[in-house]
Amino acid sequence: LALACLMTVSVAHAGNPLSAIGETFSDWKDRLFGQQNRTVDAPVDGPIALAPKHPTRVRIGKATPERDFPKGKSRFRIVELPPGFEHAAVRVQITAMPRDGAFGHEVFKPYLYTLNADDTVRDTIEVKPLHLDIRPFRATRLLGCATLENAARFAIATQPDAVGKSYESEVRDSIKAPTQGGYYYATDAVKVKLPFAATGEVVLEVTQEPAAGKGC
């Protein structure tokens, strides 16, 4: 996945509904993911307490517990939001990980399951759309965001019917571009396909918002 491309395509090209106001993918990425706050690792077990301005890396592996969700069983982690977050936006970065015993990379397709006080599922929220962030010499990511209302805690998991399917990017044109060192790099036209896996790595960050549906 060491492919180079300029991430200046319009949001309309990437399928983001914010294209109506003319925001580019680069603008959107900088607005939601541009801050350089240090990423911390979540504890390996137990609930994960998110704090504003503290991106938290969550690993979901073969040893992560499973439970039943509305569309089947999935490995999951419980995430707790700060008290009093009536309106929250959860920003999600999904790292493309090397496939175990196979060529290429794969990603975890996240769903956020808000939970009632008795741990039953209240709402199922798919993080979509997911936008491809692929740059030279950096790990490839999918970026997404979801809004939550009156949610104290949620489970991050996937859905069994997503595993084995794939994320497919739009076709990107060939590129020739300068670097800061005065050199040029070039790529052929690119279309990226990333299989969805039952395990993976995501970075979560929460912000408090002034009204419902804001923050993404």
Side-chain angles (χ1 to χ4, degrees), residues 62 97-106 197 199:
K62 293 180 180 179
M97 307 294 290
R99 299 179 69 188
D100 188 12
F103 176 77
H105 290 67
E106 61 189 11
T199 59

Side-chain angles (χ1 to χ4, degrees), residues 109-178:
K109 184 175 184 179
Y111 288 78
L112 309 184
Y113 299 90
T114 59
L115 301 174
N116 297 310
D118 62 358
D119 255 7
T120 57
V121 174
R122 188 185 76 188
D123 298 306
T124 301
I125 301 166
E126 180 180 359
V127 181
K128 65 176 186 181
L130 296 174
H131 299 300
L132 179 69
D133 181 25
I134 180 170
R135 290 174 287 172
F137 315 116
R138 295 194 181 187
T140 295
R141 307 178 297 173
L142 299 181
L143 304 178
C145 184
T147 58
L148 305 179
E149 304 302 323
N150 298 304
R153 57 209 297 268
F154 64 87
I156 181 167
T158 191
Q159 290 188 350
D161 60 2
V163 177
K165 297 179 182 178
S166 295
Y167 172 89
E168 295 190 29
S169 71
E170 298 285 346
V171 176
R172 300 288 167 82
D173 294 335
S174 59
I175 294 167
K176 293 182 179 180

Side-chain angles (χ1 to χ4, degrees), residues 203-215:
V203 175
L204 303 177
E205 184 175 7
V206 66
T207 59
Q208 186 175 24
E209 302 300 328
K214 301 293 185 181

Side-chain angles (χ1 to χ4, degrees), residues 74-89:
S74 172
R75 301 188 186 280
F76 73 100
R77 296 297 307 272
I78 298 295
V79 179
E80 297 177 342
L81 297 179
F85 270 42
E86 182 179 357
H87 313 294

Side-chain angles (χ1 to χ4, degrees), residues 2-147:
L3 304 172
C5 71
L6 288 180
M7 304 308 293
T8 55
V9 296
S10 70
V11 180
H13 182 73
N16 190 307
L18 293 178
S19 59
I21 60 173
E23 186 176 45
T24 67
F25 170 78
S26 181
D27 293 337
W28 176 83
K29 184 178 72 171
D30 288 344
R31 177 168 62 83
L32 268 65
F33 302 95
Q35 293 184 351
Q36 299 299 313
N37 296 318
R38 186 174 68 90
T39 300
V40 299
D41 289 324
V44 295
D45 54 22
I48 300 164
L50 287 188
K53 298 183 179 180
H54 286 79
T56 302
R57 182 180 295 105
V58 180
R59 295 181 174 91
I60 298 173
K62 293 180 180 179
T64 303
E66 292 182 299
R67 64 166 279 182
D68 287 319
F69 291 97
K71 290 194 175 181
K73 184 173 289 188
S74 172
R75 301 188 186 280
F76 73 100
R77 296 297 307 272
I78 298 295
V79 179
E80 297 177 342
L81 297 179
F85 270 42
E86 182 179 357
H87 313 294
V90 179
R91 301 169 184 181
V92 183
Q93 305 174 50
I94 307 152
T95 306
M97 307 294 290
R99 299 179 69 188
D100 188 12
F103 176 77
H105 290 67
E106 61 189 11
V107 289
F108 186 78
K109 184 175 184 179
Y111 288 78
L112 309 184
Y113 299 90
T114 59
L115 301 174
N116 297 310
D118 62 358
D119 255 7
T120 57
V121 174
R122 188 185 76 188
D123 298 306
T124 301
I125 301 166
E126 180 180 359
V127 181
K128 65 176 186 181
L130 296 174
H131 299 300
L132 179 69
D133 181 25
I134 180 170
R135 290 174 287 172
F137 315 116
R138 295 194 181 187
T140 295
R141 307 178 297 173
L142 299 181
L143 304 178
C145 184
T147 58

